[in-house]
PDB file of all heavy atoms in Angstrom:
ATOM      1  N   PRO A 281      25.154-199.187 -52.245  1.00  0.00           N
ATOM      2  CA  PRO A 281      24.572-198.037 -52.971  1.00  0.00           C
ATOM      3  C   PRO A 281      23.619-197.220 -52.116  1.00  0.00           C
ATOM      4  O   PRO A 281      23.185-196.150 -52.530  1.00  0.00           O
ATOM      5  CB  PRO A 281      23.833-198.709 -54.140  1.00  0.00           C
ATOM      6  CG  PRO A 281      23.636-200.121 -53.746  1.00  0.00           C
ATOM      7  CD  PRO A 281      24.731-200.475 -52.795  1.00  0.00           C
ATOM      8  N   ARG A 282      23.273-197.717 -50.915  1.00  0.00           N
ATOM      9  CA  ARG A 282      22.348-196.993 -50.053  1.00  0.00           C
ATOM     10  C   ARG A 282      23.073-196.132 -49.025  1.00  0.00           C
ATOM     11  O   ARG A 282      22.454-195.366 -48.305  1.00  0.00           O
ATOM     12  CB  ARG A 282      21.450-197.980 -49.306  1.00  0.00           C
ATOM     13  CG  ARG A 282      20.585-198.826 -50.216  1.00  0.00           C
ATOM     14  CD  ARG A 282      20.228-200.146 -49.562  1.00  0.00           C
ATOM     15  NE  ARG A 282      19.618-199.935 -48.270  1.00  0.00           N
ATOM     16  CZ  ARG A 282      18.316-199.691 -48.100  1.00  0.00           C
ATOM     17  NH1 ARG A 282      17.525-199.630 -49.132  1.00  0.00           N
ATOM     18  NH2 ARG A 282      17.827-199.511 -46.902  1.00  0.00           N
ATOM     19  N   ARG A 283      24.383-196.289 -48.954  1.00  0.00           N
ATOM     20  CA  ARG A 283      25.146-195.620 -47.908  1.00  0.00           C
ATOM     21  C   ARG A 283      25.514-194.186 -48.340  1.00  0.00           C
ATOM     22  O   ARG A 283      25.835-193.939 -49.500  1.00  0.00           O
ATOM     23  CB  ARG A 283      26.414-196.449 -47.646  1.00  0.00           C
ATOM     24  CG  ARG A 283      27.243-196.110 -46.447  1.00  0.00           C
ATOM     25  CD  ARG A 283      26.621-196.442 -45.097  1.00  0.00           C
ATOM     26  NE  ARG A 283      26.006-197.759 -44.957  1.00  0.00           N
ATOM     27  CZ  ARG A 283      26.660-198.884 -44.701  1.00  0.00           C
ATOM     28  NH1 ARG A 283      27.971-198.910 -44.606  1.00  0.00           N
ATOM     29  NH2 ARG A 283      26.007-200.023 -44.552  1.00  0.00           N
ATOM     30  N   ALA A 284      25.455-193.251 -47.361  1.00  0.00           N
ATOM     31  CA  ALA A 284      25.807-191.855 -47.646  1.00  0.00           C
ATOM     32  C   ALA A 284      27.323-191.646 -47.599  1.00  0.00           C
ATOM     33  O   ALA A 284      28.050-192.456 -47.032  1.00  0.00           O
ATOM     34  CB  ALA A 284      25.135-190.944 -46.635  1.00  0.00           C
ATOM     35  N   LEU A 331      25.035-186.968 -48.136  1.00  0.00           N
ATOM     36  CA  LEU A 331      25.103-186.877 -46.673  1.00  0.00           C
ATOM     37  C   LEU A 331      23.872-186.197 -46.075  1.00  0.00           C
ATOM     38  O   LEU A 331      23.573-186.372 -44.901  1.00  0.00           O
ATOM     39  CB  LEU A 331      26.358-186.073 -46.303  1.00  0.00           C
ATOM     40  CG  LEU A 331      27.026-186.358 -44.970  1.00  0.00           C
ATOM     41  CD1 LEU A 331      27.319-187.829 -44.790  1.00  0.00           C
ATOM     42  CD2 LEU A 331      28.324-185.551 -44.866  1.00  0.00           C
ATOM     43  N   LEU A 333      19.738-185.552 -46.492  1.00  0.00           N
ATOM     44  CA  LEU A 333      18.497-186.008 -47.142  1.00  0.00           C
ATOM     45  C   LEU A 333      18.801-187.023 -48.249  1.00  0.00           C
ATOM     46  O   LEU A 333      18.033-187.157 -49.201  1.00  0.00           O
ATOM     47  CB  LEU A 333      17.703-184.834 -47.732  1.00  0.00           C
ATOM     48  CG  LEU A 333      17.303-183.696 -46.785  1.00  0.00           C
ATOM     49  CD1 LEU A 333      16.498-182.643 -47.546  1.00  0.00           C
ATOM     50  CD2 LEU A 333      16.500-184.216 -45.601  1.00  0.00           C
ATOM     51  N   GLY A 334      19.920-187.726 -48.116  1.00  0.00           N
ATOM     52  CA  GLY A 334      20.284-188.709 -49.125  1.00  0.00           C
ATOM     53  C   GLY A 334      20.606-188.089 -50.477  1.00  0.00           C
ATOM     54  O   GLY A 334      20.733-188.786 -51.470  1.00  0.00           O
ATOM     55  N   ALA A 336      18.514-186.177 -51.984  1.00  0.00           N
ATOM     56  CA  ALA A 336      17.239-185.932 -52.672  1.00  0.00           C
ATOM     57  C   ALA A 336      17.008-184.428 -52.786  1.00  0.00           C
ATOM     58  O   ALA A 336      17.405-183.652 -51.915  1.00  0.00           O
ATOM     59  CB  ALA A 336      16.096-186.584 -51.895  1.00  0.00           C
ATOM     60  N   PRO A 366      18.888-189.443 -55.688  1.00  0.00           N
ATOM     61  CA  PRO A 366      17.833-190.446 -55.683  1.00  0.00           C
ATOM     62  C   PRO A 366      16.504-189.904 -56.188  1.00  0.00           C
ATOM     63  O   PRO A 366      15.498-190.600 -56.138  1.00  0.00           O
ATOM     64  CB  PRO A 366      17.741-190.840 -54.206  1.00  0.00           C
ATOM     65  CG  PRO A 366      18.186-189.639 -53.456  1.00  0.00           C
ATOM     66  CD  PRO A 366      19.197-188.944 -54.339  1.00  0.00           C
ATOM     67  N   PHE A 368      13.678-186.313 -56.827  1.00  0.00           N
ATOM     68  CA  PHE A 368      13.046-185.242 -56.058  1.00  0.00           C
ATOM     69  C   PHE A 368      12.327-185.874 -54.875  1.00  0.00           C
ATOM     70  O   PHE A 368      11.815-186.994 -54.972  1.00  0.00           O
ATOM     71  CB  PHE A 368      12.024-184.493 -56.925  1.00  0.00           C
ATOM     72  CG  PHE A 368      12.651-183.415 -57.774  1.00  0.00           C
ATOM     73  CD1 PHE A 368      13.032-183.671 -59.079  1.00  0.00           C
ATOM     74  CD2 PHE A 368      12.859-182.148 -57.249  1.00  0.00           C
ATOM     75  CE1 PHE A 368      13.619-182.672 -59.846  1.00  0.00           C
ATOM     76  CE2 PHE A 368      13.432-181.149 -58.020  1.00  0.00           C
ATOM     77  CZ  PHE A 368      13.816-181.417 -59.326  1.00  0.00           C
ATOM     78  N   MET A 369      12.271-185.157 -53.765  1.00  0.00           N
ATOM     79  CA  MET A 369      11.518-185.625 -52.599  1.00  0.00           C
ATOM     80  C   MET A 369      10.055-185.771 -52.992  1.00  0.00           C
ATOM     81  O   MET A 369       9.531-184.984 -53.777  1.00  0.00           O
ATOM     82  CB  MET A 369      11.591-184.604 -51.467  1.00  0.00           C
ATOM     83  CG  MET A 369      12.962-184.439 -50.858  1.00  0.00           C
ATOM     84  SD  MET A 369      13.327-185.703 -49.669  1.00  0.00           S
ATOM     85  CE  MET A 369      12.155-185.268 -48.419  1.00  0.00           C
ATOM     86  N   LYS A 373       4.350-183.108 -47.709  1.00  0.00           N
ATOM     87  CA  LYS A 373       5.027-181.884 -47.286  1.00  0.00           C
ATOM     88  C   LYS A 373       5.568-181.100 -48.491  1.00  0.00           C
ATOM     89  O   LYS A 373       5.282-179.912 -48.653  1.00  0.00           O
ATOM     90  CB  LYS A 373       6.169-182.218 -46.337  1.00  0.00           C
ATOM     91  CG  LYS A 373       6.972-181.010 -45.915  1.00  0.00           C
ATOM     92  CD  LYS A 373       7.898-181.308 -44.771  1.00  0.00           C
ATOM     93  CE  LYS A 373       8.652-180.056 -44.351  1.00  0.00           C
ATOM     94  NZ  LYS A 373       9.711-179.708 -45.320  1.00  0.00           N
ATOM     95  N   ARG A 403      26.977-191.746 -59.073  1.00  0.00           N
ATOM     96  CA  ARG A 403      26.235-192.920 -58.592  1.00  0.00           C
ATOM     97  C   ARG A 403      24.792-192.815 -59.082  1.00  0.00           C
ATOM     98  O   ARG A 403      24.493-193.038 -60.230  1.00  0.00           O
ATOM     99  CB  ARG A 403      26.348-193.044 -57.070  1.00  0.00           C
ATOM    100  CG  ARG A 403      25.845-194.380 -56.561  1.00  0.00           C
ATOM    101  CD  ARG A 403      26.192-194.644 -55.105  1.00  0.00           C
ATOM    102  NE  ARG A 403      25.556-193.717 -54.173  1.00  0.00           N
ATOM    103  CZ  ARG A 403      25.625-193.840 -52.857  1.00  0.00           C
ATOM    104  NH1 ARG A 403      26.319-194.840 -52.312  1.00  0.00           N
ATOM    105  NH2 ARG A 403      25.034-192.972 -52.067  1.00  0.00           N
ATOM    106  N   LYS A 404      23.878-192.385 -58.215  1.00  0.00           N
ATOM    107  CA  LYS A 404      22.473-192.418 -58.595  1.00  0.00           C
ATOM    108  C   LYS A 404      22.114-191.299 -59.578  1.00  0.00           C
ATOM    109  O   LYS A 404      22.525-190.148 -59.389  1.00  0.00           O
ATOM    110  CB  LYS A 404      21.594-192.282 -57.353  1.00  0.00           C
ATOM    111  CG  LYS A 404      21.654-193.487 -56.437  1.00  0.00           C
ATOM    112  CD  LYS A 404      20.828-193.237 -55.204  1.00  0.00           C
ATOM    113  CE  LYS A 404      20.540-194.489 -54.417  1.00  0.00           C
ATOM    114  NZ  LYS A 404      21.642-195.408 -54.228  1.00  0.00           N
ATOM    115  N   GLU A 437      14.208-200.762 -56.085  1.00  0.00           N
ATOM    116  CA  GLU A 437      13.190-201.211 -55.131  1.00  0.00           C
ATOM    117  C   GLU A 437      11.816-200.669 -55.511  1.00  0.00           C
ATOM    118  O   GLU A 437      10.839-201.413 -55.581  1.00  0.00           O
ATOM    119  CB  GLU A 437      13.545-200.786 -53.698  1.00  0.00           C
ATOM    120  CG  GLU A 437      14.789-201.464 -53.123  1.00  0.00           C
ATOM    121  CD  GLU A 437      16.094-200.772 -53.511  1.00  0.00           C
ATOM    122  OE1 GLU A 437      16.047-199.799 -54.309  1.00  0.00           O
ATOM    123  OE2 GLU A 437      17.154-201.207 -53.037  1.00  0.00           O
ATOM    124  N   GLY A 438      11.775-199.361 -55.777  1.00  0.00           N
ATOM    125  CA  GLY A 438      10.508-198.736 -56.143  1.00  0.00           C
ATOM    126  C   GLY A 438       9.965-199.313 -57.451  1.00  0.00           C
ATOM    127  O   GLY A 438       8.777-199.643 -57.558  1.00  0.00           O
TER     128      GLY A 438
ATOM    129  N   HIS B   8      15.038-184.703 -40.035  1.00  0.00           N
ATOM    130  CA  HIS B   8      14.883-183.692 -41.079  1.00  0.00           C
ATOM    131  C   HIS B   8      14.259-184.283 -42.324  1.00  0.00           C
ATOM    132  O   HIS B   8      14.221-183.655 -43.373  1.00  0.00           O
ATOM    133  CB  HIS B   8      16.225-183.009 -41.379  1.00  0.00           C
ATOM    134  CG  HIS B   8      17.369-183.954 -41.413  1.00  0.00           C
ATOM    135  ND1 HIS B   8      18.034-184.330 -40.280  1.00  0.00           N
ATOM    136  CD2 HIS B   8      17.933-184.631 -42.427  1.00  0.00           C
ATOM    137  CE1 HIS B   8      18.980-185.204 -40.608  1.00  0.00           C
ATOM    138  NE2 HIS B   8      18.933-185.399 -41.896  1.00  0.00           N
ATOM    139  N   ILE B   9      13.787-185.522 -42.206  1.00  0.00           N
ATOM    140  CA  ILE B   9      13.102-186.160 -43.345  1.00  0.00           C
ATOM    141  C   ILE B   9      12.171-187.225 -42.780  1.00  0.00           C
ATOM    142  O   ILE B   9      12.460-187.798 -41.724  1.00  0.00           O
ATOM    143  CB  ILE B   9      14.150-186.764 -44.316  1.00  0.00           C
ATOM    144  CG1 ILE B   9      13.506-187.191 -45.639  1.00  0.00           C
ATOM    145  CG2 ILE B   9      14.885-187.937 -43.684  1.00  0.00           C
ATOM    146  CD1 ILE B   9      14.516-187.492 -46.746  1.00  0.00           C
ATOM    147  N   THR B  10      11.064-187.462 -43.446  1.00  0.00           N
ATOM    148  CA  THR B  10      10.162-188.542 -43.046  1.00  0.00           C
ATOM    149  C   THR B  10      10.753-189.858 -43.515  1.00  0.00           C
ATOM    150  O   THR B  10      11.206-189.971 -44.655  1.00  0.00           O
ATOM    151  CB  THR B  10       8.776-188.305 -43.681  1.00  0.00           C
ATOM    152  OG1 THR B  10       8.249-187.097 -43.141  1.00  0.00           O
ATOM    153  CG2 THR B  10       7.823-189.464 -43.366  1.00  0.00           C
ATOM    154  N   PHE B  14      16.368-196.860 -39.418  1.00  0.00           N
ATOM    155  CA  PHE B  14      17.077-198.012 -39.975  1.00  0.00           C
ATOM    156  C   PHE B  14      18.022-198.606 -38.929  1.00  0.00           C
ATOM    157  O   PHE B  14      18.112-199.807 -38.762  1.00  0.00           O
ATOM    158  CB  PHE B  14      17.856-197.554 -41.217  1.00  0.00           C
ATOM    159  CG  PHE B  14      18.718-198.608 -41.837  1.00  0.00           C
ATOM    160  CD1 PHE B  14      18.138-199.643 -42.557  1.00  0.00           C
ATOM    161  CD2 PHE B  14      20.099-198.562 -41.709  1.00  0.00           C
ATOM    162  CE1 PHE B  14      18.940-200.617 -43.140  1.00  0.00           C
ATOM    163  CE2 PHE B  14      20.895-199.529 -42.290  1.00  0.00           C
ATOM    164  CZ  PHE B  14      20.314-200.566 -43.008  1.00  0.00           C
ATOM    165  N   GLN B  15      18.724-197.719 -38.225  1.00  0.00           N
ATOM    166  CA  GLN B  15      19.687-198.199 -37.235  1.00  0.00           C
ATOM    167  C   GLN B  15      19.903-197.120 -36.179  1.00  0.00           C
ATOM    168  O   GLN B  15      20.047-195.943 -36.522  1.00  0.00           O
ATOM    169  CB  GLN B  15      21.016-198.501 -37.942  1.00  0.00           C
ATOM    170  CG  GLN B  15      22.014-199.231 -37.089  1.00  0.00           C
ATOM    171  CD  GLN B  15      23.388-199.301 -37.754  1.00  0.00           C
ATOM    172  OE1 GLN B  15      23.538-198.986 -38.939  1.00  0.00           O
ATOM    173  NE2 GLN B  15      24.381-199.669 -36.997  1.00  0.00           N
ATOM    174  N   ILE B  32      20.381-193.676 -37.912  1.00  0.00           N
ATOM    175  CA  ILE B  32      20.303-193.616 -39.377  1.00  0.00           C
ATOM    176  C   ILE B  32      18.858-193.874 -39.787  1.00  0.00           C
ATOM    177  O   ILE B  32      18.241-194.842 -39.338  1.00  0.00           O
ATOM    178  CB  ILE B  32      21.252-194.648 -40.011  1.00  0.00           C
ATOM    179  CG1 ILE B  32      22.708-194.291 -39.643  1.00  0.00           C
ATOM    180  CG2 ILE B  32      21.083-194.689 -41.526  1.00  0.00           C
ATOM    181  CD1 ILE B  32      23.721-195.323 -40.063  1.00  0.00           C
ATOM    182  N   GLU B  34      15.989-194.413 -42.886  1.00  0.00           N
ATOM    183  CA  GLU B  34      15.919-194.880 -44.255  1.00  0.00           C
ATOM    184  C   GLU B  34      14.783-194.135 -44.931  1.00  0.00           C
ATOM    185  O   GLU B  34      13.653-194.142 -44.451  1.00  0.00           O
ATOM    186  CB  GLU B  34      15.656-196.378 -44.298  1.00  0.00           C
ATOM    187  CG  GLU B  34      15.692-196.903 -45.720  1.00  0.00           C
ATOM    188  CD  GLU B  34      15.244-198.357 -45.831  1.00  0.00           C
ATOM    189  OE1 GLU B  34      15.183-199.041 -44.805  1.00  0.00           O
ATOM    190  OE2 GLU B  34      14.934-198.758 -46.956  1.00  0.00           O
ATOM    191  N   SER B  35      15.119-193.440 -46.015  1.00  0.00           N
ATOM    192  CA  SER B  35      14.118-192.688 -46.755  1.00  0.00           C
ATOM    193  C   SER B  35      14.649-192.489 -48.161  1.00  0.00           C
ATOM    194  O   SER B  35      15.870-192.455 -48.358  1.00  0.00           O
ATOM    195  CB  SER B  35      13.888-191.334 -46.082  1.00  0.00           C
ATOM    196  OG  SER B  35      12.857-190.631 -46.738  1.00  0.00           O
ATOM    197  N   MET B  36      13.775-192.341 -49.118  1.00  0.00           N
ATOM    198  CA  MET B  36      14.188-192.185 -50.518  1.00  0.00           C
ATOM    199  C   MET B  36      15.172-193.295 -50.902  1.00  0.00           C
ATOM    200  O   MET B  36      16.080-193.083 -51.705  1.00  0.00           O
ATOM    201  CB  MET B  36      14.847-190.809 -50.745  1.00  0.00           C
ATOM    202  CG  MET B  36      13.961-189.609 -50.506  1.00  0.00           C
ATOM    203  SD  MET B  36      12.567-189.492 -51.633  1.00  0.00           S
ATOM    204  CE  MET B  36      13.380-189.188 -53.208  1.00  0.00           C
ATOM    205  N   LYS B  37      15.004-194.496 -50.309  1.00  0.00           N
ATOM    206  CA  LYS B  37      15.882-195.648 -50.582  1.00  0.00           C
ATOM    207  C   LYS B  37      17.341-195.363 -50.232  1.00  0.00           C
ATOM    208  O   LYS B  37      18.257-195.909 -50.820  1.00  0.00           O
ATOM    209  CB  LYS B  37      15.775-196.067 -52.065  1.00  0.00           C
ATOM    210  CG  LYS B  37      14.379-196.446 -52.480  1.00  0.00           C
ATOM    211  CD  LYS B  37      13.893-197.672 -51.740  1.00  0.00           C
ATOM    212  CE  LYS B  37      12.403-197.896 -51.977  1.00  0.00           C
ATOM    213  NZ  LYS B  37      11.839-198.825 -50.967  1.00  0.00           N
ATOM    214  N   MET B  38      17.539-194.430 -49.312  1.00  0.00           N
ATOM    215  CA  MET B  38      18.902-194.099 -48.887  1.00  0.00           C
ATOM    216  C   MET B  38      18.988-194.201 -47.375  1.00  0.00           C
ATOM    217  O   MET B  38      18.004-193.979 -46.671  1.00  0.00           O
ATOM    218  CB  MET B  38      19.246-192.661 -49.299  1.00  0.00           C
ATOM    219  CG  MET B  38      19.515-192.491 -50.789  1.00  0.00           C
ATOM    220  SD  MET B  38      21.063-193.243 -51.259  1.00  0.00           S
ATOM    221  CE  MET B  38      22.245-192.224 -50.358  1.00  0.00           C
ATOM    222  N   GLU B  39      20.178-194.550 -46.889  1.00  0.00           N
ATOM    223  CA  GLU B  39      20.418-194.506 -45.451  1.00  0.00           C
ATOM    224  C   GLU B  39      20.897-193.093 -45.131  1.00  0.00           C
ATOM    225  O   GLU B  39      21.937-192.658 -45.619  1.00  0.00           O
ATOM    226  CB  GLU B  39      21.474-195.539 -45.065  1.00  0.00           C
ATOM    227  CG  GLU B  39      20.986-196.960 -45.262  1.00  0.00           C
ATOM    228  CD  GLU B  39      22.118-197.971 -45.269  1.00  0.00           C
ATOM    229  OE1 GLU B  39      23.195-197.675 -44.736  1.00  0.00           O
ATOM    230  OE2 GLU B  39      21.902-199.073 -45.830  1.00  0.00           O
ATOM    231  N   ILE B  40      20.117-192.388 -44.314  1.00  0.00           N
ATOM    232  CA  ILE B  40      20.399-190.979 -44.085  1.00  0.00           C
ATOM    233  C   ILE B  40      20.731-190.749 -42.616  1.00  0.00           C
ATOM    234  O   ILE B  40      19.878-190.919 -41.753  1.00  0.00           O
ATOM    235  CB  ILE B  40      19.187-190.123 -44.511  1.00  0.00           C
ATOM    236  CG1 ILE B  40      18.917-190.349 -46.007  1.00  0.00           C
ATOM    237  CG2 ILE B  40      19.414-188.658 -44.198  1.00  0.00           C
ATOM    238  CD1 ILE B  40      17.641-189.724 -46.503  1.00  0.00           C
ATOM    239  N   PRO B  41      21.977-190.396 -42.317  1.00  0.00           N
ATOM    240  CA  PRO B  41      22.343-190.221 -40.913  1.00  0.00           C
ATOM    241  C   PRO B  41      21.706-188.974 -40.295  1.00  0.00           C
ATOM    242  O   PRO B  41      21.536-187.959 -40.965  1.00  0.00           O
ATOM    243  CB  PRO B  41      23.873-190.088 -40.956  1.00  0.00           C
ATOM    244  CG  PRO B  41      24.214-189.747 -42.355  1.00  0.00           C
ATOM    245  CD  PRO B  41      23.093-190.188 -43.234  1.00  0.00           C
ATOM    246  N   GLU B  43      22.702-186.446 -37.550  1.00  0.00           N
ATOM    247  CA  GLU B  43      23.957-186.149 -36.869  1.00  0.00           C
ATOM    248  C   GLU B  43      23.742-185.285 -35.633  1.00  0.00           C
ATOM    249  O   GLU B  43      22.768-184.524 -35.569  1.00  0.00           O
ATOM    250  CB  GLU B  43      24.891-185.396 -37.826  1.00  0.00           C
ATOM    251  CG  GLU B  43      25.214-186.190 -39.065  1.00  0.00           C
ATOM    252  CD  GLU B  43      25.821-185.322 -40.152  1.00  0.00           C
ATOM    253  OE1 GLU B  43      25.775-184.082 -40.026  1.00  0.00           O
ATOM    254  OE2 GLU B  43      26.326-185.900 -41.116  1.00  0.00           O
ATOM    255  N   GLN B  62       8.153-188.865 -38.569  1.00  0.00           N
ATOM    256  CA  GLN B  62       7.808-187.771 -39.469  1.00  0.00           C
ATOM    257  C   GLN B  62       8.899-186.702 -39.382  1.00  0.00           C
ATOM    258  O   GLN B  62       9.554-186.572 -38.352  1.00  0.00           O
ATOM    259  CB  GLN B  62       6.469-187.133 -39.068  1.00  0.00           C
ATOM    260  CG  GLN B  62       5.296-188.106 -39.065  1.00  0.00           C
ATOM    261  CD  GLN B  62       4.985-188.651 -40.441  1.00  0.00           C
ATOM    262  OE1 GLN B  62       5.040-187.926 -41.429  1.00  0.00           O
ATOM    263  NE2 GLN B  62       4.707-189.951 -40.516  1.00  0.00           N
ATOM    264  N   GLU B  63       9.058-185.940 -40.435  1.00  0.00           N
ATOM    265  CA  GLU B  63       9.978-184.810 -40.395  1.00  0.00           C
ATOM    266  C   GLU B  63       9.589-183.917 -39.223  1.00  0.00           C
ATOM    267  O   GLU B  63       8.414-183.616 -39.028  1.00  0.00           O
ATOM    268  CB  GLU B  63       9.894-184.018 -41.698  1.00  0.00           C
ATOM    269  CG  GLU B  63      10.831-182.828 -41.698  1.00  0.00           C
ATOM    270  CD  GLU B  63      10.755-182.029 -42.986  1.00  0.00           C
ATOM    271  OE1 GLU B  63      10.326-182.581 -44.004  1.00  0.00           O
ATOM    272  OE2 GLU B  63      11.141-180.850 -42.935  1.00  0.00           O
TER     273      GLU B  63
END
Side-chain angles (χ1 to χ4, degrees):
Chain A
R282 298 154 54 85
R283 191 70 46 82
L331 208 52
L333 303 181
F368 276 94
M369 293 279 293
K373 177 168 182 286
R403 192 169 64 174
K404 291 177 165 44
E437 293 85 355
Chain B
H8 41 275
I9 191 167
T10 296
F14 176 74
Q15 190 189 349
I32 296 173
E34 185 188 345
S35 184
M36 297 296 293
K37 301 296 170 197
M38 286 289 295
E39 293 164 22
I40 300 172
E43 300 165 348
Q62 301 296 320
E63 180 180 338

